[in-house]
Amino acid sequence: MPAQIAVENIRNTRGEPVTLLIEDGQVAGLAPAGTLGIPEVAERIDGGGKMILPGLVDGHIHLDKTLIGLPFIPHIPGETVAKRIAAERELRRTVALPVTARGGALIEKVAALGTVAVRSHVDIDTEIGLKGLEQVLSLRQSHGHLIDIEIVAFPQSGIMRDPGTAALLHEAVAAGADLVGGLDPAGIDDDINGHLDAVFAVAEKHNVGVDLHLHDGGALGAFELRQIAERTIALSLQGRVAVSHAFCLGELDDADFGRTSELLACAEIAIMTNGPGPVPMPPVKRLQAAGVRVFCGSDNIRDAWSPFGNGDLIERAGIICDRQDFRADDDLERAFALVTEASGAVLGRAEPLSIGTPADFILVDCGSIAETLAARPVDRTVFKAGRKVAEAGRLV
Ligand SMILES: [Zn+2]
């Protein structure tokens, strides 16, 4: 393969004809058609008049949990987070395929849909130990040509209620996890300080970021968010801490929302939402107006938590629009940014399609970002590091 590739006959999101020049898998230029010097040795690819979009970035996925690759397993009901955790641990003991097979199948599915990078939480508890992590680390090697994987060591069964987990979180980060996670310090562990002490001790000792799941609602959840923000500032971890779900932000009175969002902005904490089902969700525009970073991910895809989900981030951005009543073009663009620039920034990726960044992009037959969210085209051509990995929604 030549080191230089010119992708011609493509349009930007404003419909203007552009050319993309790729060198050694990185963006070397993206400019109006006819204005870039194309080296004679460059391979030329005809983009068929399609629109170029940045590759999609999934800010929250669970590669180890998915049951994709297995015959459909009916959902086991569980009305509380604690009951679902117990049901999942029971199911996990009987699943026939290893994480490498199930997670690998999920990576192949989402890569074909245009996802080029994910942040995957991986369960760490005293029963499974680091086994799930080891397999996701193996997937990072075997599937690196399709996707970049960032890993969060996630104490799904709690920390204080599962003694030994705190030590495992340290081991997980030492073994290659990029961040440390957490889960409902009050709702699951019933010990806000104990839980957060354990999580932030891992972050401090290993100099890693944090991404906690927080389902605790209302004033309790808001109190926990402020505790997380205060600890973030105390350890100078601004910009490296995220909270996933944070449903509570969607059900606070103005005073509580004001003081909580102010502290989140000050601590540069990013809030991940997947546009959840019938529960309150963080108000995207209101948080952004308060200076809080918001990003998006799929969360559960065909696992013990949900029989649904397909990993399609264009569909996911549409779900965000439905939940937030976004209809105008600029709001649809705002939702698309949650699954591209915003999630990419949280994962430490540079501005997409800027010079010197990996040539990770998709081509779709739509005239604008808004039309893309509305049409949810299945025909996507996907490039990862300058190499075509999918065409018409299928891996090549
Ligand atoms: Zn999750």
Side-chain angles (χ1 to χ4, degrees):
M1 190 174 75
Q4 292 167 317
I5 301 167
V7 185
E8 300 172 296
N9 190 22
I10 53 175
R11 291 169 297 108
N12 64 18
T13 56
R14 293 183 299 279
E16 300 154 350
V18 293
T19 299
L20 173 71
L21 184 61
I22 301 166
E23 272 181 22
D24 293 326
Q26 296 187 330
V27 175
L30 177 61
T35 65
L36 274 179
I38 307 296
E40 242 170 56
V41 294
E43 179 191 354
R44 288 171 180 257
I45 293 177
D46 182 350
K50 291 182 177 176
M51 180 173 66
I52 181 168
L53 291 170
L56 308 169
V57 179
D58 199 320
H60 189 121
I61 200 166
H62 291 267
L63 292 173
D64 59 330
K65 288 184 186 291
T66 190
L67 303 170
I68 280 179
L70 290 162
F72 184 78
I73 297 174
H75 181 66
I76 304 163
E79 57 275 19
T80 64
V81 174
K83 283 184 181 166
R84 285 191 185 166
I85 292 168
E88 176 174 49
R89 286 178 66 138
E90 190 62 39
L91 175 65
R92 196 172 68 184
R93 296 184 189 110
T94 66
V95 164
L97 281 177
V99 168
T100 45
R102 292 179 281 114
L106 179 53
I107 290 171
E108 286 164 17
K109 183 176 172 62
V110 301
L113 293 166
T115 298
V116 296
V118 300
R119 169 177 286 184
S120 179
H121 296 252
V122 178
D123 287 10
I124 304 289
D125 59 57
T126 53
E127 182 178 287
I128 199 135
L130 305 188
K131 288 196 195 91
L133 171 67
E134 284 156 6
Q135 294 186 70
V136 175
L137 285 167
S138 157
L139 285 171
R140 179 147 77 180
Q141 293 295 323
S142 59
H143 288 67
H145 60 294
L146 293 177
I147 218 159
D148 302 319
I149 304 176
E150 195 180 54
I151 300 172
V152 184
F154 173 44
Q156 173 73 82
S157 296
I159 301 175
M160 312 311 284
R161 73 199 275 272
D162 186 18
T165 301
L168 285 170
L169 293 174
H170 283 279
E171 284 179 39
V173 171
D178 305 290
L179 299 98
V180 60
L183 170 73
D184 292 339
I188 290 297
D189 267 350
D190 203 19
D191 184 351
I192 297 173
N193 280 327
H195 186 97
L196 294 180
D197 282 350
V199 170
F200 279 89
V202 177
E204 185 178 26
K205 181 172 179 197
H206 302 275
N207 187 27
V208 293
V210 175
D211 189 336
L212 293 109
H213 283 64
L214 185 68
H215 310 92
D216 289 337
L220 173 64
F223 172 75
E224 292 175 271
L225 282 176
R226 295 193 298 274
Q227 292 292 304
I228 292 164
E230 280 171 11
R231 287 166 182 269
T232 298
I233 293 165
L235 291 179
S236 300
L237 283 170
Q238 290 95 328
R240 299 174 68 192
V241 175
V243 176
S244 293
H245 303 310
F247 302 145
C248 61
L249 288 167
E251 52 181 348
L252 300 179
D253 62 35
D254 286 352
D256 224 6
F257 182 86
R259 65 177 175 148
T260 305
S261 57
E262 191 180 329
L263 207 47
L264 290 173
C266 185
E268 297 171 43
I269 287 176
I271 300 294
M272 192 299 299
T273 185
N274 67 333
V279 290
M281 77 173 272
V284 174
K285 275 189 188 177
R286 198 173 171 206
L287 283 167
Q288 289 178 333
V292 180
R293 306 162 75 196
V294 183
F295 68 115
C296 179
S298 297
D299 200 16
N300 301 106
I301 299 171
R302 180 86 72 90
D303 60 21
W305 294 76
S306 173
F308 301 118
N310 59 9
D312 181 354
L313 289 171
I314 289 178
E315 183 177 309
R316 183 59 52 189
I319 290 168
I320 298 279
C321 292
D322 282 343
R323 288 288 332 262
Q324 297 284 291
D325 200 21
F326 288 173
R327 299 167 198 225
D329 278 15
D330 58 347
D331 282 341
L332 272 56
E333 288 165 14
R334 180 190 303 273
F336 184 71
L338 299 183
V339 296
T340 50
E341 288 108 295
S343 48
V346 171
L347 269 68
R349 296 168 65 87
E351 173 78 22
L353 293 172
S354 57
I355 306 285
T357 61
D360 296 346
F361 61 94
I362 57 181
L363 301 176
V364 294
D365 194 8
C366 292
S368 66
I369 289 173
E371 186 190 349
T372 307
L373 261 59
R376 300 180 189 175
V378 289
D379 184 356
R380 304 174 197 176
T381 306
V382 185
F383 285 77
K384 172 74 186 144
R387 203 175 135 266
K388 189 192 286 182
V389 296
E391 179 126 52
R394 289 178 176 276
L395 290 187
V396 293

